[in-house]
Amino acid sequence: MSFVSASGDYLYQPLPSLVPQGAHNPCNWSLSSSDLLYELSPAEKIATRFSVEGNAIITGGCGHFGLEIARALLEHGASGVSLFDVNPTRSHIVINQLRLDFPSANIIAKTVDVHDEHAVQRAVAETVVQLGSVNMLLCFAGIENCNHALLVGLEEWRHTLGMNVASSWHCARAVARCMIQQGTGGSIVFTASISAHSFNFPLPRVSNMGMSRGTLPASPQPKSSAAAEWARYGIRVNSISPGYMDSIYNDGIDLGEARRMWASRKPAGRMGDPSELTGTVVLLCSRAGKYINGADILVDGALFFTFCRDYC
């Protein structure tokens, strides 16, 4: 790759190239390569297969999704969680209950604006000091917005993209740097959206969470590019694409007709519960998911299939 410098000199710099992860890297060992597994009972093997090791950072950690994920990771063996949120105090009762339920785990909450890259870097560094390491990142922070394409302002559109896409990228880079320095590898999970795969009638989507989150699983966007680039360090980067979930984002009396329409388009006849995301996240963070990298997993109750059947 050649370019001309500010002084007018003609310079050459080789293009950066991705380096595959070596088989000698312990982060690349398969589940069956551990001799220890042969000494375990079937029940112990089941527990080991979906065991979660180390500490997790969860953005939007004090919201409904974040707290569900935190509990699931702790149930499967995580030694600590750091909950990043703009307002951790709103969930202090639930956080205290987590501490009572998991007394041996280190559970902390931090006031973090994930849109601020420097604030994210400070919070990640503090988490490493307090927990000892960071081994998982789950990105659930985001904002909802809904407006017609011809009415949405440019700043409004940029703000939604910044909060729902750029903020996840800030967190991923900060955490990846720590994982590389630790030499432990790890798992990064972005929250994308079913909107990456289909248009979700009837709400206008150009400026809302679904549209912005929908950019995450599509190659060569952050998830796919980072998965390829960071595999050499034992870092896996995946995303989940939830369908319509029964959460604060899809609540309110003015959404009654839309909710009925969403539920009617699903074979299950209902919206998803946030707890139904936990199994997929545990898979991606556990030993069982060590060969899953660069993937986007739909958790949508077959909404995408139904959309394709009816409209494609």
Side-chain angles (χ1 to χ4, degrees):
M1 179 174 64
S2 59
F3 60 94
V4 179
S5 69
S7 62
D9 297 326
Y10 182 81
L11 303 175
Y12 173 79
Q13 181 176 333
L15 281 170
S17 178
L18 301 183
V19 179
Q21 182 182 355
H24 65 280
N25 190 322
C27 301
N28 209 16
W29 293 348
S30 69
L31 186 67
S32 61
S33 64
S34 173
D35 292 336
L36 175 64
L37 288 181
Y38 295 105
E39 303 172 3
L40 301 179
S41 69
E44 291 171 328
K45 287 182 180 180
I46 292 171
T48 301
R49 181 171 290 113
F50 290 97
S51 64
V52 174
E53 299 177 355
N55 303 300
I57 289 175
I58 306 174
T59 73
C62 297
H64 194 170
F65 289 105
L67 291 168
E68 287 280 359
I69 297 302
R71 176 169 289 276
L73 293 176
L74 291 166
E75 288 171 345
H76 283 260
S79 53
V81 294
S82 181
L83 308 174
F84 287 13
D85 203 282
V86 290
N87 184 18
T89 57
R90 62 177 169 148
S91 300
H92 70 278
I93 294 176
V94 181
I95 295 171
N96 287 336
Q97 187 60 51
L98 281 177
R99 290 171 176 148
L100 290 173
D101 294 342
F102 303 95
S104 62
N106 196 347
I107 301 169
I108 60 178
K110 292 187 173 295
T111 302
V112 185
D113 177 3
V114 292
H115 195 222
D116 183 338
E117 183 176 13
H118 298 295
V120 167
Q121 292 171 352
R122 288 193 299 270
V124 170
E126 292 170 0
T127 293
V128 172
V129 171
Q130 290 179 262
L131 301 186
S133 67
V134 56
N135 310 94
M136 296 160 277
L137 169 67
L138 300 309
C139 296
F140 282 89
I143 58 173
E144 184 58 282
N145 190 15
C146 185
N147 207 340
H148 289 284
L150 297 179
L151 298 178
V152 63
L154 181 58
E155 287 306 313
E156 177 186 358
W157 188 72
R158 284 174 172 168
H159 182 63
T160 303
L161 278 173
M163 279 301 301
N164 296 338
V165 179
S167 63
S168 294
W169 187 234
H170 295 332
C171 296
R173 292 206 305 170
V175 168
R177 289 187 180 106
C178 291
M179 291 176 174
I180 292 169
Q181 186 174 19
Q182 292 166 182
T184 57
S187 175
I188 295 174
V189 181
F190 291 125
T191 304
S193 172
I194 187 62
S195 294
H197 306 273
S198 68
F199 174 77
N200 295 332
F201 190 84
L203 298 185
R205 314 298 294 179
V206 75
S207 66
N208 80 340
M209 176 179 286
M211 180 283 301
S212 53
R213 285 258 174 91
T215 67
L216 280 170
S219 179
Q221 296 298 331
K223 177 267 300 177
S224 300
S225 298
E229 188 170 339
W230 297 341
R232 63 181 294 197
Y233 304 112
I235 300 172
R236 296 178 295 107
V237 187
N238 297 287
S239 63
I240 59 173
S241 285
Y244 281 109
M245 310 300 290
D246 196 2
S247 69
I248 189 173
Y249 295 117
N250 295 315
D251 198 10
I253 57 174
D254 56 333
L255 286 176
E257 182 58 34
R259 288 171 60 90
R260 284 189 290 272
M261 184 177 295
W262 296 332
S264 69
R265 288 173 54 196
K266 294 191 175 189
R270 65 174 177 85
M271 297 171 67
D273 186 85
S275 65
E276 292 173 305
L277 296 176
T278 58
T280 306
V281 172
V282 168
L283 167 66
L284 294 174
C285 292
S286 68
R287 296 167 61 99
K290 290 195 74 172
Y291 200 57
I292 303 175
N293 191 25
D296 176 59
I297 301 179
L298 276 68
V299 188
D300 68 336
L303 173 63
F304 178 56
F305 167 79
T306 307
F307 176 88
C308 291
R309 180 198 66 195
D310 295 342
Y311 300 104
C312 295

